[in-house]
């Protein structure tokens, strides 16, 4: 694997790069990879590289105005104990954008970053 395909990269447009980087590293287990705040930072978790692009970044400037809204997509983070993760994040003062929803594949809840981008916290259903 070359360094270019070491990660799966997703770009989120944010209005405050430092606030977004702090959110992901403080609350969701990401590591800061690089920072050119206030324009750009990238954080990693496993093979996910999350590109946090502020208004001055080339990624944000290249985005058509009608598409530059948060919440249209979401990253999906998996946890073994969703309830414990919810309690930990609520204890840190975070609020959720939904209630826990259960289905045949598992349980999920949505959290928004400081710019309004959604993060799905997910616990797979236990299989016999």
């Amino acid at each position: 694997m070359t360094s270019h395909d070491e990660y799966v990269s997703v770009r989120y447009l944010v209005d405050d790069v430092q606030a977004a980087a702090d959110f992901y590293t403080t609350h969701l287990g990401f590591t800061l990879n690089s920072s050119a705040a206030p324009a750009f930072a990238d954080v990693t978790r496993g093979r996910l590289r999350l590109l946090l692009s502020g208004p001055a970044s080339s990624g944000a400037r290249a985005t058509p105005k009608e598409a530059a809204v948060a919440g249209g997509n979401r990253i999906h983070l998996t946890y073994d104990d969703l309830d414990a993760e919810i309690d930990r994040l609520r204890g840190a003062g975070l609020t959720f954008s939904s209630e826990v929803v259960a289905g045949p594949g598992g349980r999920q809840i949505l959290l928004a970053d400081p710019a309004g981008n959604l993060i799905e916290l997910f616990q797979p259903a236990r299989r016999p």
Side-chain angles (χ1 to χ4, degrees):
M1 207 182 287
T2 68
S3 61
H4 291 289
D5 30 86
E6 181 178 353
Y7 296 107
V8 173
S9 296
V10 174
R11 183 180 310 280
Y12 267 178
L13 303 179
V14 300
D15 52 0
D16 185 329
V17 170
Q18 190 61 56
D22 291 346
F23 174 84
Y24 285 98
T25 59
T26 300
H27 299 297
L28 297 175
F30 283 77
T31 300
L32 182 67
N33 189 49
S34 69
S35 178
F40 173 83
D42 64 324
V43 295
T44 60
R45 178 179 164 171
R47 293 196 55 219
L48 173 61
R49 178 176 173 235
L50 191 54
L51 311 171
L52 304 170
S53 296
S57 71
S58 59
R61 291 192 324 264
T63 304
K65 192 168 198 87
E66 64 275 7
V69 295
N73 295 298
R74 61 186 182 229
I75 59 173
H76 174 99
L77 304 176
T78 302
Y79 296 90
D80 292 329
D81 187 344
L82 183 61
D83 295 322
E85 189 63 16
I86 291 168
D87 289 344
R88 184 185 73 78
L89 293 170
R90 282 193 174 131
L94 301 182
T95 56
F96 290 87
S97 301
S98 74
E99 296 299 321
V100 174
V101 176
R107 300 167 60 235
Q108 67 180 10
I109 192 168
L110 298 178
L111 178 69
D113 74 9
N117 293 298
L118 293 175
I119 302 108
E120 178 181 322
L121 309 181
F122 180 78
Q123 181 179 343
R126 299 192 201 275
R127 302 286 182 219

